[in-house]
Each structure stands twice: as C-alpha cells, then as structure tokens.
C-alpha cells in the first residue's frame, strides 16, 4: 500500500507541473495588470513597481523564477495585499476554510447518510417522499439564496446568531456558514445513499444474510451499507476538495477570512501570485482526496486491490 | 534609559487596555473593502484613507463636518507670492511610542513618497511642491524637493506656483507622515502591527485580510481626552447586502455603502439612519473624440442632450445620485457655482427634438443611423444606466450596443488608447478644488483624459488660472474653462455622486459632508 501511495504521489508531480504552467500563462492573457488603476501611474513609478515584483523580466524568465520559488515552498508576495506574502495569507485563511469545510462535510455525511438510509428502508412511503423532496430542494436552491435567508431569519429577525463576521472563530459565528455549506451536501449524500442502499438491499448477499436470520441492524450496517456507501465515497473525494478550499459565496456573504474569496479577488485584481497559489492549493487537494478515495474503496470493497 | 522608557510605555498601554476593558467602546465600522496596504505612501483609494486618517494625522486634518482644521501644525504663514508655506508644529504632537512629532519626520515622509523606488501610486498629487515631479520621475535627487525643516517645530514647504488648494492636499493620505525610525529598520514591513508607530488618534492592533482591521486608541494623541472610542474595527464589507443585514442586526454601527438594488427597502427600513448627502464626484461618459463619427462637437452635444438625467437619478439610482449639467460638482471650494450646459433648462422632449435635428443635419437618417458602442465596467447599476441611455438614444435614431468588462479590463482599455466609442467613467475629487476636475480635460493629461480632448484654448485658460493668485480671478478663469469644456462635450456629465452611509441611531458625531470624511475620533456610541 505504501508503494501504491508513493507511486500515486509521484505521478501527481507532472500533473501539478502542467497545471502550474498552463495557469501561469493563462492568467497573463487577461487584459490589464496588477497595478492598473483608474488613475494611471507615472511611467517611472510603474517601472519601479514592475521591478520590485519582477514583472520587468521576460515572461519565460518570470515563469522559471516562479517555479523555483514554488519548489522552495514560497508562493511569492501578493500583488494586491501588499503587506502580506501569499504564504502568510494562506497560513491565516486555509485553516479557517478547512475547519468550516470539514465540519460541513461531517455534518453532511451523518445527516445525509441517516436520511438516505431511512428513505431507502421506507421506500415509496411518505417518509421517503418527503426526504427526497427536501433533498431536491437542497440541491436546487443555490447557497447565495440560502445564506441571506438564514441570516435574515436567525440573525436579523430572531437575533439568535450573528449575521456575519468570524471573530477569531467563535462557535456562534460558524453555525450559519456550516449549515449553508452542508445543506446541498446533505441533499446529495441522502440521494446517493438512498439509491445505492435500495440496490444493496435487493442484492444476493443481503438476501443470503437475511436467510441466515441475522438481525436487521447487522444486515443494514454491516452488509448493505458497506456496499451502498461506495458511490458516496467517490462523490466525497472531489466534494471534500472543493469544500475544504472554501467557498467564495459563503465567505463573502458571512464575512469569513477563508481562502475561497482569494480565487475571485486574485482574478479581479490581477494578483498573479494569489491566483497561482490558489490554483496550486486546490490542485493538491483534488489529487490528495482522489488518492484517499481510492484507498477507502479498497478498504470497503473486497474486490478492489492495490495490485 | 531606553528600556526604562519601554517599560513605562508598556505599563501605560497595559493600563489603557485594562482600563478600556471595564467599559470599552468598540466602533464596528463597515468599510467597503480591505486596503491594499496600510503604507500611506502606497495607497490610492478612499477606503484606505478611512483607516489611515484614523491612524495618522497630517499637517492639517478634517473636522467632524469635513472642514480643514489644524493637525500637527497649529498654524502656518504663506509668503506674499503664494509660494512658501511655513508651518508651526503643536508642542503636544506625539507618536504612539511617546516620541514627539518633529519637522524632520515630515521631511523624511515627503522624500520617501517622492522617491521613485517607493513605488508610490499617488505621488502625483504632491507635484505642486517644488521639484517634486522631477524627483518622483527620477530626474533629480529627492533631497532637492522644496520641503525643509527649519527646526524641530518649524517646517517650510516651497511650491512651484501658487496653489490655493495646497492646504487641502496636505490632508490627503499621501501627505500623512511615517515614523522614520521604523521605516529605516523594517522597510516595507513597518506597517505590521508589531512594528507600526502612528501619530493619529488610533494605532494599529491587528490586520486580518477579509476579516477585520483593529485599531486601538493612541494614549499619546494630543486630543486623546476627547476621543470616546477605545477601539475601531474596520470590516471590509464587499457584499453590500450582507453589510446591510449586519447593520440591521446591530453588528455594524456604520457602513459607507449600500446595496443600490434594495433602495426602497433601505429607505423604508432605516429612514433617518440612511444618510444620502452630496459628494464630491461626477459620473460621466467619456466620448472618444478621436473617432471620426464622434469628432464633431455638435454630434456629441446631441448625444448629451437626449439623455434624461432626472430619470437616471431617480429611477435607476433611486435618488442616490443628482442630475448633472456641469462637470465640476456643486459645493466645491475655491469656485463660484459651476458652469451649466446651455440647454440644461430645456424640457427633455424639446431636447430630443433638437438632438434629432442636429443628427439629421449631419447626415444621420433612419437608413444610416449613428452606431455607438457603450462600454461599462461590471456593476448592476452601470448596466442599468447604460441600458437606459441606449434606449434614450434610440429615441433620436442612434443605434447603441453595450459592452461589459471587469474594471481592470475597462480602465486598461480606456487608457491604452483603446478603440472605444463611449465609455463609463467617474471622478471623485481628491481635494475640494475645481482644478481637480477640470485637469481631466488637459491635452497633456494622457492617463485621465480618456476622451483625448485637445483644445489649446482650454489648455491656455487652465495654464493662466494655475498662475493666478487672486482666488476670485482664478475662479473666473476656471469657470471660463469649464464653459469651454461643456460646450465641446468631450465627456457627457450625467450625475453627481452622493455619499451613502448607514449610521445607527446610537452613533453620535457622524456629520455628512461633501468629502465624506468621518474620522473615528469624533464619533461616540451609546452602548
């Protein structure tokens, strides 16, 4: 297994390299630069700024310099947040996004899983229909609608929870963002679990287990769920990568200093290093979670083996 | 001695914080975006100035109602020729580490912003200072600029030419001082909370991007006794709707922008807590005068006449803008009332008839209509404005199409000789003087004269005004220039901006003013 993981990690290197290369040149195609303002800069000032940030060098030269610094774990200075380096920005924001994402993911897995199993066991009953209706709503209502509604009800009208702000990560400040993040995931997990659970309950090995006279609980949790959870696991890989790297919508609406906002801020401000940094971080998360999914698959499904 | 002093300062600060905790008042201040940097010499925006004016005090500063009042300098004299200012410092001006503010600090600061290597984005506003432009463009040693410390408490500034708005300029964030010792020691890292030394009513405690900037009361500030706020938290409220809800829930005490698409709700819900007041800015459309079809001033005038500004102000902007018939906004200092377009008082229907007539006389018929592309940068209201104007132009037979891009692309295109027809732009005054608006029309103002307007007569009147010491005479000349400008229509003035603040009933001392400056030191809050 160690060999398998090492192999996968090594094969990720060319992927990352390719991603860095493509994004590096792609962002430069956008018109305007980081120092273009409404009020234009004095030529001499622009020249100096370009010199400070190495923008006076040729593009291939800048690319090599960037690669070199990334290899040393340095994402460079931010062009927009000029008092910070990208590493400093990420050190502050990534843990916050990960914390929110991980909580939302856990919540989604537990609530969605239970709802899905319940619906599957009561297939075509009113419970099933209401769970599936709620799940459809959860998937279709976008978070930029859910978030303002939740803040309006629980923050403005009832005054139970803060409308926005992070305040160093107080519990009350995390409640609404986590719920908003988790809702669509709950819905997806519930739907996936229900579907595969229904299938699993009809499969031969579950019928055999029933024939042996095993208890309902053992059949559902040990035999049916183990197979039924596989589609959920494969969904969770990319979903986790997306959740843990923050959501621009939720972070903006709730005023959370996470990494998600940097995607858009970086692009709009032509903050080249910030854009590159976020791309690399997301790419790493996607790669890592895909490996984790494959490992979990092997644990759950006896048919999958590393060799 | 030194360590003794540090201990004393630490004790004092500790005392201040622990005292504060008993009944500390924190001002939760919504500020539309995060600053790019807290280095005053590298900033350029109004939302940066909000924070910097709390942290630092210049030679002059603003009163609660936005008037210029003495800052570090308690008084000044101006030489008869209007060229040499001598500032006398107040004795109790101190940095947040207890050191006195001396004239040399300002010499250091002016030299720093005018050094090309600093990369200062707004150094141009200091160009009235003698040799400043030459220094900032690397043609002269920065030591040659006209800023001199006579002694610790006396500073002398020499200008190129009489500049009646110079005192106003000194209140701009670019003219705020830096503490030389920390800049020398830490370079650009002097802005970090652990290093920063400020001389304003507040000093920096923390800066978390996209979260909040916290400033705490500076016990050494000369007017600290009158400061009612113990800490200010500036929240970057990029999402205006979210900010409005936070305000409604009492999480923000003030916010300096509103979601314009919810204007009815704002008025209904917040009533007198929603402040709309005249602001020193003009919303306009720049016309590319170098384009053949738009080179004729009559055609440009026809386009301008056909626009119903009252509709834009009331229906598109919900009354948060004011119909504009001049380029310089009303209420500006060193001016009489702004000039007005000749047709300003005509009925809109008559204006449309006249515009149609002009276009027909220039050979534009329904078979051969004038085709125009309107460019605008991303914003719901810019879009709505452009759609409405395209519609109004349709009434006079002009076929207008729209093109939307993000702000960076938009301005890059306007500036780099972009091939546009008509483009949205806006100008907010850096200081209260008509020159700060009319200079957009100077033919050598390559960066901001988007219309590429080139009228030697206009340039000549502006040059003459720049040399005129008598304020009345100068105002007359500037008005003459504005009349020329309006008559040639390089830009279509559409609307005057208004400041839009949400101010809680609990907040006192927040006075609306033309520059929309509100120093936290004048604010008090009922808790």
């Amino acid at each position: 297994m160690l060999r398998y993981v090492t192999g996968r990690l090594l094969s990720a290197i060319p992927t990352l390299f390719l991603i860095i290369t493509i994004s590096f040149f792609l962002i430069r195609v956008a018109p305007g630069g980081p120092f273009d303002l409404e009020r234009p800069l004095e030529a001499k000032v622009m020249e100096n700024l370009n010199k400070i940030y190495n923008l006076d060098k040729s593009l291939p030269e800048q690319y090599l310099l960037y690669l070199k610094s990334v290899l040393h774990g340095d994402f460079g200075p931010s062009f927009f947040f000029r008092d910070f380096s990208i590493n400093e920005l990420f050190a502050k924001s990534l843990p916050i996004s990960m914390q929110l994402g991980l909580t939302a993911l856990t919540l989604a897995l537990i609530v969605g899983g239970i709802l899905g199993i319940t619906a599957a066991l009561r297939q075509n009953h009113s419970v099933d229909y209401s769970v599936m209706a709620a799940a459809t709503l959860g998937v279709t209502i976008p978070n930029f609608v859910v978030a303002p509604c939740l803040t309006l009800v629980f923050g403005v009208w009832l005054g139970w929870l803060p409308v926005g702000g992070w305040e160093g990560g107080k519990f009350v400040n995390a409640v609404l963002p986590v719920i908003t993040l988790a809702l669509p995931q709950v819905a997806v997990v519930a739907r996936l679990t229900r579907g595969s659970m229904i299938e699993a309950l009809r499969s031969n090995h579950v019928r055999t287990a029933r024939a042996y006279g095993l208890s309902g609980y053992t059949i559902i949790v040990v035999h049916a769920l183990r197979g039924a959870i596989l589609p959920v696991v494969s969904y969770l890989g990319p979903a986790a990568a997306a959740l843990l790297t923050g959501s621009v919508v939720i972070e903006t609406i709730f005023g959370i200093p996470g990494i998600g906002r940097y995607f858009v801020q970086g692009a709009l401000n032509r903050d080249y290093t910030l854009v590159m940094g976020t791309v690399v971080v997301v790419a790493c998360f996607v790669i890592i979670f895909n490996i984790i999914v494959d490992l979990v698959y092997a644990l759950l499904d006896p048919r999958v083996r590393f060799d | 001695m030194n360590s003794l002093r540090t201990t004393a300062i630490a004790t004092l600060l500790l005392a201040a914080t622990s005292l504060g905790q008993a009944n500390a008042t924190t001002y939760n201040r919504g500020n539309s975006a995060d600053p790019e940097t807290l280095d005053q010499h590298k900033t350029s925006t109004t939302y940066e100035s909000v924070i910097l004016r709390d942290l630092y005090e210049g030679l002059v500063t603003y009163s609660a109602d936005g008037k210029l009042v003495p800052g570090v300098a308690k008084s000044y004299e101006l030489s008869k020729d209007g060229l040499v200012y001598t500032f006398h410092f107040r004795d109790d001006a101190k940095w947040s580490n207890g050191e006195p503010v001396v004239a040399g600090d300002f010499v250091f600061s002016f030299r720093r912003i005018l050094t090309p290597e600093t990369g200062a984005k707004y150094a141009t506003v200091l160009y009235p200072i003698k040799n400043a432009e030459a220094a900032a463009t690397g043609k002269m040693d920065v030591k040659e600029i006209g800023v001199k410390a006579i002694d610790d408490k006396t500073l002398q500034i020499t200008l190129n030419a009489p500049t009646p708005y110079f005192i106003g300029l000194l209140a701009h964030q670019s003219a705020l001082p830096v503490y030389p010792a920390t800049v020398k020691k830490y370079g650009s890292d002097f802005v970090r909370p652990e290093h920063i030394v400020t001389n304003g009513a507040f000093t920096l405690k923390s800066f978390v991007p996209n979260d909040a900037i916290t400033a705490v009361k500076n016990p050494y500030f000369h007017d600290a006794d009158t400061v009612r706020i113990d800490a200010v938290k500036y929240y970057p409220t990029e999402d205006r709707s979210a900010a409005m809800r936070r305000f409604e829930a009492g999480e923000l005490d003030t916010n300096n922008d509103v979601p314009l698409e919810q204007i009815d709700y704002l008025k209904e819900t917040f009533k007198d807590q929603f402040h709309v007041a005249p602001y020193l800015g003009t919303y306009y459309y720049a016309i590319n005068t170098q384009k053949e079809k738009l080179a004729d001033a009559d055609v440009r005038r026809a386009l301008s006449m056909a626009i119903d500004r009252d509709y834009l102000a009331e229906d598109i902007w919900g009354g948060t803008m004011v119909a504009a018939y001049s380029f310089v906004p009303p209420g500006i200092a060193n001016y009489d009332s702004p000039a007005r377009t000749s047709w300003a008082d005509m009925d809109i229907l008559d204006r449309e008839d006249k515009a149609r007539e002009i276009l027909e006389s220039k050979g534009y018929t329904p078979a051969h209509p004038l085709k125009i592309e309107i460019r605008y940068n991303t914003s719901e209201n810019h879009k709505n404005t452009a759609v409405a104007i395209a519609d109004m132009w349709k009434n006079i037979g002009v076929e207008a199409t729209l093109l939307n891009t993000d702000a960076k692309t938009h301005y890059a295109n306007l500036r780099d000789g972009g091939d546009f027809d008509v483009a949205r732009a806006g100008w907010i005054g850096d200081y209260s003087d008509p020159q700060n608006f009319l200079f957009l029309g100077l033919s050598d103002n390559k960066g901001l004269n988007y219309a590429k307007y080139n009228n030697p007569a206009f340039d000549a009147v502006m040059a003459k005004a720049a040399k005129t010491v008598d304020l009345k005479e100068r105002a007359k000349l500037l008005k003459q220039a504005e009349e020329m400008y309006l008559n040639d229509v390089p830009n279509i003035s559409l609307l005057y901006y208004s400041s839009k603040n949400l101010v809680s009933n609990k907040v006192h001392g927040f006075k609306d003013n033309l520059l929309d400056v509100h120093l936290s030191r004048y604010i008090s809050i009922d808790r």
Side-chain angles (χ1 to χ4, degrees), chain A residues 84 92 166-168, chain B residues 17 24-29 31 34-35 38 50-52 54-55 191-194 196 198 201-218 229-236 520:
Chain A
F84 299 91
K92 279 184 183 169
W166 183 240
E167 308 300 333
Chain B
T17 20
T25 308
T26 301
Y27 173 17
N28 296 310
R29 184 167 185 167
N31 185 29
D34 255 335
L38 287 175
V50 167
I51 301 163
L52 290 167
D54 279 350
L55 297 180
V191 294
R192 296 190 175 244
E194 61 270 31
I196 201 167
T198 69
F202 298 89
T203 191
L204 183 69
K205 191 175 162 215
S206 68
F207 178 5
V208 183
N210 286 333
D211 184 23
I213 290 173
T214 310
V216 292
K217 193 170 162 177
N218 170 10
I229 302 289
D230 300 296
V232 191
K233 279 189 107 167
Y234 309 88
Y235 292 92
S520 301

Side-chain angles (χ1 to χ4, degrees), chain A residues 57-85:
Chain A
K57 300 200 167 62
S58 71
L59 208 53
E61 243 177 300
Q62 290 181 43
Y63 170 70
L64 290 177
L65 278 172
Y66 183 75
L67 268 189
K68 199 175 143 196
S69 79
V70 167
L71 281 178
H72 288 92
D74 178 9
F75 287 118
S78 168
F79 289 75
F80 179 76
F81 292 102
R82 291 172 74 191
D83 300 347
F84 299 91
S85 70

Side-chain angles (χ1 to χ4, degrees), chain A residues 37 39 42 83 88 163, chain B residues 37 127 192 251 415 430:
Chain A
L37 306 161
R39 183 173 199 145
E42 202 62 74
D83 300 347
E88 284 174 309
V163 175
Chain B
T37 163
Y127 282 4
R192 296 190 175 244
E251 290 169 25
R415 200 170 37 251
D430 294 312

Side-chain angles (χ1 to χ4, degrees), chain B residues 341-352:
Chain B
T341 56
S342 53
W343 43 264
D345 297 318
M346 275 167 72
D347 183 76
I348 180 69
L349 293 175
D350 295 337
R351 270 155 49 188
E352 276 179 14

Side-chain angles (χ1 to χ4, degrees), chain B residues 311-430:
Chain B
Y311 177 82
L312 296 181
E314 292 308 317
D315 292 66
I316 305 283
W317 292 85
T320 60
M321 294 281 231
V322 179
Y325 298 94
S326 67
F327 192 62
V328 179
I332 203 160
N334 307 329
Y335 210 34
D336 162 22
S337 60
R340 265 167 85 84
T341 56
S342 53
W343 43 264
D345 297 318
M346 275 167 72
D347 183 76
I348 180 69
L349 293 175
D350 295 337
R351 270 155 49 188
E352 276 179 14
D353 289 342
K354 181 77 187 152
R356 225 174 279 128
E357 210 175 281
I358 295 173
L359 288 183
E360 263 166 41
S361 73
K362 303 289 173 189
Y364 292 111
T365 59
H368 300 283
L370 174 59
K371 289 182 184 170
I372 287 176
E373 184 180 71
I374 304 175
R375 290 188 75 117
Y376 63 95
N377 51 320
T378 309
S379 142
E380 201 55 26
N381 274 40
H382 296 340
K383 184 177 89 189
N384 294 342
T385 307
V387 169
I389 289 176
D391 216 40
M392 292 167 190
W393 282 350
K394 211 167 145 193
N395 289 339
I396 57 164
V398 173
E399 265 182 32
T401 50
L402 307 182
L403 182 67
N404 168 223
T405 58
D406 71 292
K408 287 269 182 196
T409 312
H410 182 76
Y411 287 108
N413 184 280
L414 277 182
R415 200 170 37 251
D416 305 335
D419 185 34
F420 68 97
D421 292 344
V422 170
R424 186 213 85 87
W427 185 254
I428 308 289
D430 294 312

